[in-house]
Amino acid sequence: MPIALSILDLATIAPGQSARESFANSVVLAQAAERSGYRRVWYAEHHNMDSIASSATSVLIGHVAEHTDTIRLGAGGIMLPNHSPLVIAEQFGTLETLFPGRIDLGLGRAPGSDQKTMYALRRDNSSADSFPQDVLELQGFLSGNSRIPGVNAVPRAEGIVPLYILGSSLFGAQLAAHLGLPYAFASHFAPGALHEAVAVYRDKFQPSEQLAEPYVIAGVNVFAADDYETAAEHRAIAYRDRARRMIQRRPGQHDFSDDEIDAFLASPNGAQLSSMTKYTAVGTPDEIRAYLADFADSIGADELITAHYSQRIEDRIRSVELTAQAVATVADPAVR
């Protein structure tokens, strides 16, 4: 059975662009995904990052939903320790009420930013410790089975808002297995524990009301183009810009040239940064198909969530379209 395809969109603000332009790009990207047969588009909660505009994740989901018709949309994910479970239940209950049958809620426990920003968001460094309890509390609000007597989330949607656990370590795998929820691994930027985490998840999985069998989603970066050289150029531009933003955070710092960035990424000091994008498919549709098939087979993935990072929106849309052509997707009416 062909693998299901989805998209992770960070609402990237490209050099020289505004956040407003990035939101317009997110709309046309989701529309292209809908036309091309992708299962869902997810938006990730990040904070204090000049190049990422998806911080108000639920607002962005609502905006894109207004401009699409059928594709599922959701958070990949909401960093739950940054929020009250009640507030998230209200937000996603509202979204599901407005756009029934189209809303997903992926949950992570990382802050989605640096230590200073984490303090500004959480005020308490121990917030992540209650993540499992917060997931259960949120689940109760969404299902109408509140764990806090006398407190309910309003509006509560008539339909189901399916929950997903996101992670890059064994912790998330074990929690998803224990709760009987789908598990999405962030292998597009944190590949290290992928295979071990998926094995733990499958081994320890306990069926739940939402899910009878394990369901694995894995992240992978994709640069698809009509020829390999173009795809490789898009990858080089995107990963140079990513590295430049990570090592050149303060105004007035040295403006690193492309050659300097390439040398850094090839050096021992840049090895960790380079390794973060280990799972990257590059090339023509045939090359993309082969890479994604091997990657999915290596972990038995049920779904791949693809991140298309070409700087120009036209190139991202072309990558989305070519990837869909390369990998036949199967529509599954069941809620996952």
Side-chain angles (χ1 to χ4, degrees):
M1 181 180 292
I3 193 73
L5 287 182
S6 299
I7 291 175
L8 176 67
D9 180 9
L10 301 184
T12 304
I13 305 174
Q17 286 192 333
S18 66
R20 186 180 183 87
E21 289 171 305
S22 81
F23 296 145
N25 289 343
S26 289
V27 168
V28 297
L29 191 72
Q31 291 170 339
E34 187 171 74
R35 291 193 305 269
S36 300
Y38 284 77
R39 178 166 292 179
R40 66 185 106 242
V41 181
W42 276 356
Y43 304 91
E45 178 187 345
H46 290 282
H47 299 278
N48 194 31
M49 297 184 182
D50 292 341
S51 61
I52 296 177
S54 54
S55 54
T57 315
S58 59
V59 178
L60 180 56
I61 291 169
H63 174 65
V64 177
E66 284 282 4
H67 293 84
T68 51
D69 297 313
T70 58
I71 194 166
R72 297 191 68 87
L73 302 166
I78 290 292
M79 301 297 105
L80 191 54
N82 294 342
H83 310 276
S84 156
L86 175 60
V87 170
I88 297 303
E90 291 169 342
Q91 291 177 2
F92 280 79
T94 299
L95 287 168
E96 175 63 25
T97 300
L98 291 171
F99 309 101
R102 297 182 57 201
I103 302 301
D104 298 332
L105 178 49
L107 302 168
R109 66 174 183 140
S113 192
D114 55 42
Q115 292 293 315
K116 289 183 179 179
T117 308
M118 181 183 74
Y119 175 76
L121 286 164
R122 297 180 177 176
R123 304 288 178 177
D124 183 355
N125 290 338
S126 66
S127 297
D129 296 342
S130 62
F131 180 63
Q133 292 74 30
D134 288 346
V135 173
L136 291 173
E137 186 176 316
L138 173 61
Q139 193 174 46
F141 285 134
L142 289 170
S143 64
N145 299 300
S146 174
R147 289 172 173 260
I148 302 178
V151 179
N152 296 289
V154 181
R156 185 175 75 83
E158 294 181 5
I160 296 170
V161 180
L163 298 183
Y164 301 74
I165 298 298
L166 279 59
S168 58
S169 69
L170 302 189
F171 179 90
Q174 292 169 337
L175 180 62
H178 177 71
L179 298 179
L181 295 176
Y183 181 52
F185 193 92
S187 38
H188 60 295
F189 76 90
L194 171 63
H195 290 82
E196 185 180 5
V198 169
V200 166
Y201 170 66
R202 292 191 184 281
D203 180 61
K204 296 183 178 297
F205 181 83
Q206 300 177 28
S208 68
E209 185 176 345
Q210 179 177 330
L211 194 63
E213 298 177 349
Y215 192 82
V216 173
I217 303 174
V220 59
N221 305 294
V222 179
F223 296 89
D226 294 294
D227 58 80
Y228 179 83
E229 291 73 19
T230 300
E233 180 183 8
H234 293 166
R235 174 186 58 183
I237 292 171
Y239 286 173
R240 282 175 189 146
D241 181 64
R242 180 174 177 274
R244 189 174 280 114
R245 289 177 184 272
M246 293 187 74
I247 65 177
Q248 187 177 308
R249 292 181 177 273
R250 295 188 303 275
Q253 282 188 302
H254 174 66
D255 187 11
F256 293 95
S257 68
D258 288 349
D259 288 343
E260 288 174 318
I261 293 293
D262 289 344
F264 170 75
L265 291 174
S267 71
N269 288 335
Q272 181 177 1
L273 187 56
S274 296
S275 69
M276 292 171 66
T277 53
K278 173 182 177 180
Y279 294 120
T280 299
V282 183
T284 64
D286 286 344
E287 291 167 314
I288 297 298
R289 180 188 302 111
Y291 186 97
L292 295 185
D294 287 345
F295 176 68
D297 287 346
S298 74
I299 53 170
D302 299 287
E303 183 175 339
L304 298 181
I305 188 153
T306 59
H308 301 260
Y309 288 138
S310 297
Q311 276 198 353
R312 298 193 324 138
I313 185 59
E314 297 85 357
D315 297 327
R316 291 206 295 278
I317 291 173
R318 185 60 176 157
S319 182
V320 163
E321 293 172 340
L322 290 175
T323 301
Q325 293 171 21
V327 183
T329 57
V330 176
D332 183 357
V335 174
R336 289 290 194 177

